[in-house]
Amino acid sequence: MDKQQIQRRNYAAFLVHAFFLALTMNFIDINTVVPNMLAESGATALHMGILSSIMIGGASFMQLLFAGIIFPLKRKKPALLAGIYLRVAALMALGIFVRTLSGTGLWKVWTILALMTLFSFSGAFANISYTDILGRTIEATRRKRLLTVKQLIASVGVIASALLVKVILSSLSYPRNYATLFLLAGGLLMLATIGFWMIREEDAPMGEQLSLSQRFAAFGKVIKEDRNMRLYLLLINTSGVILSTIPFLILYARTRFPIDGSLTGTFLLVQMAGSLLANTLLTFFSQGQRYRRLLYLFVALAFATPLIALLSSASPLSFSLVFLLTGSTSALYQIVAPGVLLEISTDENRPLYAGLAGAGSLMNILYPILAGFLVPVLGFGMVFALTSIYILLGIYAAFAIRCERIS
């Protein structure tokens, strides 16, 4: 098999994985399904903040530990598959546990959070290998196209799964509806590994095993010497907190009107429509390999999302438009965040940079917990307004980052 055939095979492999992964993540959507399930189980704003901190910021931070383990490996695919199969086990256990629930209780909320932690952290372990394999097996000229097409294919697939989620949430009572979703998610995630079994991976450049102190020293050196990485960290620590803000939208909506499984499914459908719309437009109108305009657009949408949530009227129909925006914003982030990281790193330092990107995403850990404390004191209006102002700080990073393939 020649080089071009291997490129086509690897390109297809990432798209196969993206399709099944998209189906999986709909069943355990962090913005709609899981927050409403937690709320029905008796969770408070603080619990929602902990969930967001674990699923978004905490998972990224764990890459600090995992990068040192994975960096010296010649082949990253075994580590990638191990992380994914651990996620499958966590989902299956969560589905079985939720199926046994009756009523509410804080011990149930904490058990759910523990299983979601296992699911999230094993995903962080897999992501280090994923980023490195993507950078080494896909040519630079094909990367942005792959990320955009991957998002488009995923968006098309999740529309069908979102419809199924709505049917399950509407037709089954709590907790059977959520248990069914999690068990199906585990099965679909197992199917997603088909794509990674297809990948042809060559040996990575050799790296040495680093202790935790050495990793911190290496991270400090990168931050000191690489301005682009400093700006990248600024971006994900400001505008990037929109990801850990979205789960609070369900809690805010529950203060304005009742939300049942059917309405949760509707919000998910609208969110997926927003993602599909954004990816379709980017596929057809985003030319070349440049990221600058996408960075500006991401910051603008992230800034607007909390404000539009506050301005929407107290009805499910108008509030669903907020989830159209969250779908578009999340889709953009899934393109610009890995895309920019790939361009400012090299094959040799990419695992280190991926680990630093995760470890340096501190605000996605701190913000949701802080918001969970502040919401009962200041109210959603003040917290969302302050969040939008903070998100806007990322515009400087979007303007200042410099790389041949970014601007």
Side-chain angles (χ1 to χ4, degrees):
M1 186 177 292
D2 62 29
K3 183 177 180 180
Q4 288 304 311
Q5 289 177 316
I6 292 176
Q7 280 289 305
R8 288 192 293 269
R9 180 189 178 98
N10 290 342
Y11 194 97
F14 280 103
L15 296 182
V16 168
H17 168 262
F19 176 74
F20 284 108
L21 180 64
L23 297 180
T24 301
M25 300 312 290
N26 248 1
F27 289 96
I28 51 169
D29 183 65
I30 182 59
N31 300 326
T32 55
V33 175
V34 177
N36 202 55
M37 179 203 66
L38 268 183
E40 290 195 39
S41 302
T44 65
L46 178 58
H47 294 119
M48 204 65 67
I50 294 172
L51 171 71
S52 183
S53 179
I54 290 170
M55 295 290 290
I56 301 171
S60 297
F61 184 80
M62 287 303 294
Q63 294 182 70
L64 165 67
L65 302 178
F66 299 147
I69 298 172
I70 296 172
F71 184 73
L73 300 178
K74 294 174 63 176
R75 297 290 179 98
K76 307 298 194 297
K77 190 163 76 170
L80 174 60
L81 291 170
I84 295 177
Y85 287 131
L86 190 56
R87 299 191 97 189
V88 171
L91 285 175
M92 293 296 187
L94 184 61
I96 294 171
F97 174 75
V98 171
R99 181 67 178 83
T100 65
L101 288 179
S102 59
T104 62
L106 288 182
W107 72 272
K108 298 170 184 176
V109 172
W110 288 112
T111 302
I112 292 171
L113 288 175
L115 289 171
M116 293 304 294
T117 299
L118 176 60
F119 171 79
S120 184
F121 287 2
S122 56
F125 183 82
N127 188 60
I128 290 285
S129 300
Y130 177 90
T131 302
D132 182 68
I133 292 172
L134 176 61
R136 289 189 295 108
T137 60
I138 301 298
E139 294 174 342
T141 55
R142 299 184 182 211
R143 286 175 191 160
K144 185 187 175 187
R145 179 69 178 175
L146 171 64
L147 292 172
T148 305
V149 173
K150 180 169 73 73
Q151 285 298 108
L152 177 61
I153 290 177
S155 297
V156 173
V158 298
I159 292 296
S161 70
L163 287 169
L164 181 56
V165 169
K166 181 173 173 59
V167 169
I168 293 173
L169 289 176
S170 302
S171 59
L172 298 177
S173 61
Y174 174 86
R176 288 180 59 205
N177 49 4
Y178 291 106
T180 302
L181 291 181
F182 294 140
L183 292 172
L184 285 173
L188 287 169
L189 187 57
M190 186 173 292
L191 288 176
T193 61
I194 294 173
F196 291 135
W197 283 108
M198 294 169 55
I199 288 177
R200 292 291 184 90
E201 180 193 10
E202 296 181 354
D203 288 352
M206 291 300 294
E208 62 177 313
Q209 181 75 36
L210 299 178
S211 66
L212 188 59
S213 61
Q214 289 174 320
R215 276 173 249 166
F216 275 115
F219 290 158
K221 182 178 180 182
V222 170
I223 293 173
K224 180 179 179 180
E225 297 179 354
D226 192 334
R227 182 173 183 267
N228 277 335
M229 193 60 192
R230 294 197 298 272
L231 291 169
Y232 180 83
L233 292 174
L234 174 63
L235 179 72
I236 62 177
N237 278 288
T238 52
S239 301
V241 301
I242 186 59
L243 300 183
S244 51
T245 304
I246 296 174
F248 285 93
L249 296 177
I250 283 286
L251 268 189
Y252 175 57
R254 289 176 69 93
T255 66
R256 309 178 78 184
F257 45 80
I259 298 180
D260 56 12
S262 178
L263 186 54
T264 302
T266 299
F267 286 159
L268 177 61
L269 268 173
V270 175
Q271 180 176 269
M272 293 305 102
S275 178
L276 176 60
L277 176 64
N279 285 306
T280 301
L281 293 175
L282 291 176
T283 299
F284 290 104
F285 297 106
S286 180
Q287 302 298 319
Q289 303 294 318
R290 310 306 184 189
Y291 286 92
R292 182 77 62 199
R293 292 181 180 178
L294 297 187
L295 286 171
Y296 290 151
L297 181 59
F298 165 68
V299 175
L301 291 180
F303 165 77
T305 299
L307 297 180
I308 292 177
L310 293 174
L311 296 174
S312 63
S313 61
S315 71
L317 179 61
S318 63
F319 199 83
S320 65
L321 297 178
V322 177
F323 287 94
L324 188 72
L325 195 56
T326 64
S328 300
T329 306
S330 298
L332 266 174
Y333 187 83
Q334 295 305 317
I335 293 173
V336 299
V340 171
L341 183 62
L342 285 170
E343 299 307 332
I344 65 175
S345 60
T346 65
D347 288 349
E348 289 74 22
N349 65 22
R350 191 163 291 116
L352 183 66
Y353 273 51
L356 176 55
S361 185
L362 295 177
M363 285 307 298
N364 273 317
I365 299 175
L366 300 177
Y367 165 81
I369 296 177
L370 179 62
F373 277 113
L374 291 180
V375 163
V377 179
L378 301 179
F380 281 103
M382 180 63 72
V383 171
F384 282 2
L386 292 174
T387 297
S388 285
I389 295 172
Y390 180 72
I391 285 172
L392 193 59
L393 298 176
I395 195 68
Y396 172 74
F399 171 78
I401 195 168
R402 288 289 181 268
C403 180
E404 181 181 351
R405 303 184 65 81
I406 292 177
S407 59

